[in-house]
Amino acid sequence: MGLLLLFNGFFMMLAALVSGIYKDGATLDITLAAIVTMLAGTLTMFYTRGHEKVVKRKEGYIIVTFGWLVMSISGVLPYLFSGAIPDITNAFFETISGYTTTGASILDDIESLPEGILFWRSLTHWIGGMGIIVLAIAILPLLGIGGMQLFAAEAPGPNADKLHPRITDTAKRLWLIYFGYTVAETILLSLAGMSVFDAMNHALATLSTGGFSTKNVSLAYWNDQPLIQYIVILFMFLAGTNFVLSYFAFKGKVQKILKDEEFKFYSLFIISFTIICALVVYFKANVPISDYHPMVFGEAEAAIRHALFQIIAVITTTGFVTADFTSWTPFLTVFFFGLMFLGGSAGSTAGGIKVMRHLLIIKNGLLEFKRTLHPNAIIPVRYNDKTVKEHIVYNIIGFFVLYMLTFIIGAMVLSFLGLDFESAIGGAASSLGNVGPAFGSLNPVSNFNGLPAAGKWWCGFLMLLGRLELFTVLILFTPYFWKRT
């Protein structure tokens, strides 16, 4: 925890540096927040220096959950000290939405914030995204969470049985890819017409599949510059892909990528859903057409671009918007609501249930027909031409049931707090899936500021649950977890 606080303080210093460069008036406030955070981290490390540093499974759950909470609690300081978000409830909501890469916001006028605060806001995304990659690749397989063991065996480091010495190497390689993608997108967006500041912030938000923008209307601000939106589409796609596959790509192991079932279905889903959405948009809805080369970027291109952008943004749970997709047609409103439960690839920065889990649930469901006809036959589920262990299938089915149950309870609580049906189910699905924009009063052109204070804390809890794969957090509420063994 102390090390995490030092880590957080260091990034606050970067935000203070940006604030100083732009002379936005918040430099001293952000610097003070960084000093307080690093001081707390130093004291924590000092007073716990003599403790035995053995991390077992129980400690793993506690570290992961409380690590995210400690980061979120300390992350509110730049908002509070600068007065950008003076209310503790709103500041915590914005911060945990950042770290969990949800992208839901309570800010009504984003463009009026100091540059240092906007950069800090984007950094919370990037830190959370970077953390979730290592969590998914290195930590969750060790804790037996969510069937992540399937790809962990192919990761360039840890395995599912014990803490491998190469976990540090794995983390370094994945962080290097993550950082490299961020730099590449920043450069491309700058060349495409964004200011360097906007490009940097949007790159931080894209690679983390977060969705915080520096503009009130998100990526719709650049509807007249299709190239910018296509660049963001590309990097949202990469961010929603298993980062281990990016590692394989840089190693030249393209066959491994092409044979990966999850990647094939992830790509297939995006293509097929985009075709459906684009056709409906073209014939039934109005989307903004770019003035940039109107002969090339006409109605058909606009329909395809906006459909592709929103499909990838929702599937990867990035949450950027180029238009209010909830106003396109009732069919597409229901369509996008369903996509909130899909999620990106396992081992990516995307939230949601994940494509891999859906695949295995469907495969297991179809095999039940064979098992019914041949009750004595052993018919295992296969994934990437390998037999999936039975306990992993049970784990995934259990996760899916728990996810849907949590969604129902989440929606019921929000409706109890006064939200209408559409807003309640949209807010619960968006928060749990770390998507960002929702439906009803929480639609893409609105925000979460209208939620009652209790609703903001509840949505923050749902964000944490979804980001940390449910079991990691919920197991702490079970009495047997705290029993001495």
Side-chain angles (χ1 to χ4, degrees):
M1 299 302 159
L3 193 61
L4 284 174
L5 286 169
L6 287 177
F7 186 71
N8 224 19
F10 166 75
F11 279 102
M12 285 181 198
M13 281 295 189
L14 289 182
L17 179 63
V18 170
S19 177
I21 291 169
Y22 284 92
K23 298 177 181 176
D24 59 13
T27 309
L28 191 60
D29 300 317
I30 301 172
T31 304
L32 182 60
I35 292 169
V36 170
T37 302
M38 288 193 284
L39 184 62
T42 304
L43 290 173
T44 303
M45 291 186 75
F46 178 78
Y47 283 110
T48 58
R49 68 191 186 282
H51 287 267
E52 188 180 1
K53 294 177 178 62
V54 177
V55 178
K56 296 178 183 175
R57 191 169 276 212
K58 274 191 177 183
E59 288 85 355
Y61 290 113
I62 294 169
I63 289 169
V64 170
T65 302
F66 282 90
W68 243 264
L69 284 174
V70 162
M71 296 288 274
S72 298
I73 292 166
S74 61
V76 304
L77 297 181
Y79 296 126
L80 294 177
F81 287 5
S82 66
I85 308 177
D87 179 70
I88 184 68
T89 296
N90 285 338
F92 183 78
F93 181 92
E94 197 77 11
T95 307
I96 200 163
S97 178
Y99 282 113
T100 58
T101 70
T102 303
S105 180
I106 51 82
L107 293 168
D108 292 317
D109 187 6
I110 296 164
E111 294 172 38
S112 67
L113 292 178
E115 282 82 359
I117 293 297
L118 285 175
F119 187 67
W120 170 245
R121 190 168 168 261
S122 301
L123 273 177
T124 58
H125 269 342
W126 199 74
I127 297 165
M130 180 167 55
I132 209 68
I133 293 171
V134 176
L135 186 69
I137 300 290
I139 308 299
L140 293 185
L142 306 178
L143 304 180
I145 295 295
M148 293 299 179
Q149 301 95 319
L150 283 176
F151 70 82
E154 294 188 1
N159 57 47
D161 300 317
K162 60 182 179 179
L163 194 65
H164 198 285
R166 288 172 61 199
I167 276 184
T168 308
D169 292 334
T170 303
K172 285 177 183 175
R173 289 166 184 171
L174 295 176
W175 283 356
L176 189 61
I177 292 169
Y178 186 67
F179 179 77
Y181 279 158
T182 307
V183 172
E185 187 183 359
T186 302
I187 294 169
L188 288 174
L189 288 176
S190 300
L191 293 174
M194 268 194 188
S195 70
V196 174
F197 180 76
D198 286 334
M200 194 161 45
N201 279 275
H202 284 89
L204 293 172
T206 304
L207 267 303
S208 60
T209 65
F212 279 158
S213 176
T214 54
K215 304 299 180 185
N216 292 328
V217 291
S218 189
L219 264 291
Y221 184 87
W222 290 278
N223 276 341
D224 278 341
Q225 294 171 275
L227 183 57
I228 285 176
Q229 295 179 350
Y230 282 120
I231 291 168
V232 174
I233 285 169
L234 169 64
F235 283 95
M236 282 196 293
F237 178 82
L238 291 173
T241 307
N242 188 341
F243 270 72
V244 173
L245 297 184
S246 289
Y247 173 82
F248 289 147
F250 289 117
K251 294 283 285 185
K253 298 177 180 178
V254 181
Q255 284 300 316
K256 278 202 169 192
I257 300 169
L258 298 177
K259 289 179 181 178
D260 186 80
E261 280 190 61
E262 185 181 40
F263 180 75
K264 284 190 284 188
F265 278 93
Y266 169 67
S267 304
L268 182 65
F269 285 155
I270 288 173
I271 293 167
S272 55
F273 293 155
T274 299
I275 292 170
I276 295 168
C277 185
L279 288 171
V280 177
V281 168
Y282 184 75
F283 290 107
K284 297 283 188 180
N286 293 316
V287 290
I289 300 170
S290 173
D291 294 327
Y292 182 75
H293 291 313
M295 293 296 289
V296 178
F297 297 99
E299 283 187 34
E301 183 279 332
I304 293 168
R305 172 163 45 90
H306 287 288
L308 177 60
F309 190 100
Q310 291 308 154
I311 290 290
I312 291 185
V314 173
I315 286 178
T316 63
T317 72
T318 307
F320 283 140
V321 291
T322 58
D324 181 8
F325 56 82
T326 64
S327 66
W328 282 347
T329 64
F331 167 75
L332 287 181
T333 299
V334 176
F335 187 73
F336 277 106
F337 176 71
L339 291 184
M340 285 188 173
F341 294 90
L342 183 57
S345 305
S348 70
T349 57
I353 294 174
K354 306 291 191 303
V355 172
M356 180 191 72
R357 289 194 180 102
H358 286 289
L359 277 179
L360 291 176
I361 290 169
I362 292 167
K363 283 189 173 190
N364 187 63
L366 293 174
L367 287 178
E368 283 300 320
F369 292 113
K370 284 187 179 181
R371 292 171 187 148
T372 302
L373 291 173
H374 308 285
N376 296 321
I378 299 173
I379 309 172
V381 177
R382 299 185 70 81
Y383 177 78
N384 283 345
D385 297 323
K386 295 177 184 176
T387 299
V388 179
K389 292 177 182 178
E390 207 171 50
H391 75 90
I392 292 178
V393 176
Y394 290 150
N395 185 299
I396 289 170
I397 293 171
F399 176 90
F400 183 80
V401 172
L402 191 60
Y403 191 97
M404 297 310 295
L405 185 62
T406 306
F407 159 68
I408 293 167
I409 294 170
M412 288 174 68
V413 170
L414 288 177
S415 64
F416 178 78
L417 293 172
L419 273 70
D420 61 84
F421 176 75
E422 195 176 355
S423 303
I425 63 169
S430 174
S431 298
L432 190 60
N434 307 122
V435 179
F439 303 94
S441 61
L442 309 175
N443 64 65
V445 295
S446 185
N447 60 32
F448 283 62
N449 196 27
L451 278 177
K456 289 170 184 172
W457 288 101
W458 177 246
C459 283
F461 176 65
L462 291 178
M463 291 174 198
L464 187 67
L465 279 182
R467 182 76 282 181
L468 299 184
E469 304 281 323
L470 298 183
F471 293 119
T472 316
V473 179
L474 293 179
I475 197 170
L476 302 182
F477 293 92
T478 58
Y480 48 83
F481 178 83
W482 302 99
K483 288 181 180 177
R484 289 184 177 273
T485 55

